[in-house]
Amino acid sequence: MNEDVRNIVLGVLATGVSASVGWLARTYLWRRRLRRKQAFFGLPGGAECLLVVNREAGGDNVVHRFDVFAMLELSALIKDCGAQARILGHDVAHQGFGDRTEFCVGGPYSNRRTDAHLSTLLPGVTVNVDVEPSEVRGSISVGTERYLMEKGASEYVILARLTAGEGGRPVFLFCGQRAITNQAATRYLARHHESLARAHRSGSFVLLLKVVNSQAYGPDVVELVADVTRAALTAPAAAPAAS
């Protein structure tokens, strides 16, 4: 074998080895990211989770189109983890939590399941559900702070990951002042789940998000107002008994 042929063969071998190493490295990194994603969402491959659907406020068994969009975004996340979703209406989801990951969409006015989660898991959070129009209608209170809604201009949503129950699987809660804020929260989770996993690992967190000018930007412009985990998980102090 002359010098030129040997150099060609060695070059081909080196290229093949480099390509194989690169493929193995990419595969390893992809699998590691997938495992981290599955751990954060509590969705190992083949697992089943619950997707709890609300109804449109004031509607009769109707799901608002923005809530449908929110569920589509969640469905994509679930599929990426290799899991399956079982869709349940909020008024038929009569079961505990912790055994399976749960995604619960909508505020307490349109979702009974959310109402139950707020009173049980987030005692520091209250949402105004008055039917009559008023300044405080739909407001979200966390601890001593109250956040009012300016429809189409400034709206708020709670995004929470809560670990409770014997199984330890998380409940993801998307509790917004309007349906478009629910979609904004699911989109925020899809975009930032890696940084959220690094910051909170497998623990609970409660974030207050602000949706800016939804009438112009839809659910795309979202600001993190604060991490309100401590206040949201703390029950308010009992009022002193009257003498």
Side-chain angles (χ1 to χ4, degrees):
M1 183 182 294
N2 61 38
E3 187 73 19
D4 292 338
V5 173
R6 184 169 61 250
N7 289 338
I8 292 173
V9 171
L10 291 176
V12 171
L13 290 174
T15 301
V17 170
S18 298
S20 299
V21 170
W23 179 83
L24 290 172
R26 288 192 298 272
T27 301
Y28 170 77
L29 293 174
W30 175 81
R31 290 185 181 276
R32 187 174 68 171
R33 290 183 64 184
L34 176 60
R35 288 194 298 269
R36 289 178 176 177
K37 186 175 184 178
Q38 290 174 328
F40 176 72
F41 287 108
L43 292 173
E48 182 183 73
C49 64
L50 298 181
L51 187 53
V52 181
V53 183
N54 65 343
R55 62 173 173 81
E56 183 175 355
D60 183 15
N61 296 322
V62 176
V63 181
H64 196 284
R65 63 189 180 96
F66 288 119
D67 288 326
V68 173
F69 296 153
M71 289 184 288
L72 289 175
E73 302 216 19
L74 292 174
S75 296
L77 285 176
I78 295 166
K79 183 177 180 181
D80 287 345
C81 291
Q84 299 177 349
R86 181 185 177 195
I87 301 175
L88 291 177
H90 70 101
D91 51 350
V92 298
H94 301 149
Q95 52 193 284
F97 46 82
D99 290 335
R100 287 175 289 185
T101 295
E102 176 182 336
F103 299 91
C104 193
V105 178
Y109 181 73
S110 63
N111 192 321
R112 297 179 188 174
R113 185 81 171 172
T114 297
D115 191 28
H117 287 329
L118 290 179
S119 61
T120 303
L121 303 176
L122 295 178
V125 177
T126 57
V127 179
N128 181 282
V129 293
D130 290 344
V131 177
E132 297 299 325
S134 68
E135 180 183 357
V136 298
R137 181 182 179 183
S139 63
I140 296 175
S141 297
V142 184
T144 59
E145 299 294 327
R146 173 178 284 178
Y147 301 89
L148 303 178
M149 173 179 63
E150 296 179 37
K151 187 174 180 180
S154 176
E155 298 149 326
Y156 296 91
V157 56
I158 291 286
L159 168 61
R161 180 188 191 274
L162 307 170
T163 52
E166 295 182 358
R169 296 288 176 86
V171 173
F172 287 89
L173 193 62
F174 309 89
C175 176
Q177 293 176 323
R178 296 178 63 212
I180 196 170
T181 63
N182 298 330
Q183 185 192 0
T186 59
R187 184 165 295 183
Y188 185 92
L189 179 66
R191 289 175 175 174
H192 300 282
H193 66 85
E194 291 184 351
S195 60
L196 292 173
R198 287 193 297 269
H200 303 281
R201 298 186 180 274
S202 59
S204 297
F205 64 79
V206 185
L207 306 180
L208 181 69
L209 307 176
K210 180 180 179 181
V211 183
V212 179
N213 198 0
S214 63
Q215 62 184 355
Y217 305 128
D220 286 336
V221 182
V222 180
E223 298 176 356
L224 173 61
V225 178
D227 182 330
V228 295
T229 305
R230 179 175 296 181
L233 298 178
T234 303
S243 58

